[in-house]
Amino acid sequence: MIRTTRCVLIYTAVAALGTGAACSGGRPATTPSAGPSAAAAATTRPTPEPPGSAAPIAVPYAPAVDPAAFSATVDNPFFPLRPGMRWQYRSATKDGVETTVVTVTGKTRTIAGFTCVEVRDTVRVDGALKEDTLDWYAQDRTGAVWYFGEDTKEYENGKVSSTEGSWVTGEHGAQPGITMPAQPMPGDRYRQEYYRGHAEDVAEVLSIAERAKVPAGSYDGMVMTKETTPLEPAVLERKYYARGIGIVLTVDVAAGGVRDELVAR
């Protein structure tokens, strides 16, 4: 949902360095035409980014990011990644009980000039390893958390069966996306990742006042997002982010409402 009456809340890294413009009803100010050349330039301008997004859904996708405006210190209140943090999730799926453990490893990796914090995500079904993934994130000066890549391995019978979905910013045209806006607001839409044909997740903020109860506790004032991908149109998830914790609940709408709940941290 494009809103033209609110200033952009998630600035690009370039804006974070002081090149941003003031909000004027959501549209840039215009000046009188200086002749045919000015009119021609106006017709070739790229489509403005949707309000609230530095990682626009539009194609071609080329977010304005500068390594100098980023840090591996990720302290966004709705997606904190302090070294040693750990989350355990559980869900009842058609294949069995799925347990996911997410850990901030304390390691960093430099990707295309960006220093990123490393997060490990392991998934088991009835105790058998299903997936093992390393993810890399960095935070810009505005507080938005960006996703710079993943190394994912799926397992069958103890052996790697697929690495589909792996991508790294700067390789084969892959670009970073936003995991959590600096100041999320309903209607914000943004790419979470972009590796054409392999990783094209998109998110939209639906609410910033949600409540949920999971085994780890009861939470309110949460950010709720809707997450989809054009690569799998049937996929639809809703994620709930609690202040100071991060994700506490994922609801797989496409799978009939299966809940992946935070059980320990």
Side-chain angles (χ1 to χ4, degrees), residues 39-97:
T43 61
T44 59
R45 286 176 184 162
T47 303
E49 295 180 1
S53 178
I57 308 300
V59 175
Y61 176 62
V65 289
D66 180 348
F70 282 76
S71 168
T73 298
V74 178
D75 56 9
N76 182 298
F78 291 102
F79 200 78
L81 298 175
R82 295 185 298 275
M85 291 186 75
R86 181 182 184 274
W87 304 262
Q88 183 176 335
Y89 304 88
R90 185 173 61 231
S91 63
T93 73
K94 61 182 179 60
D95 298 319
V97 176

Side-chain angles (χ1 to χ4, degrees), residues 33 95 114 142 166 182 199 217:
S33 172
D95 298 319
F114 298 84
T142 73
S166 297

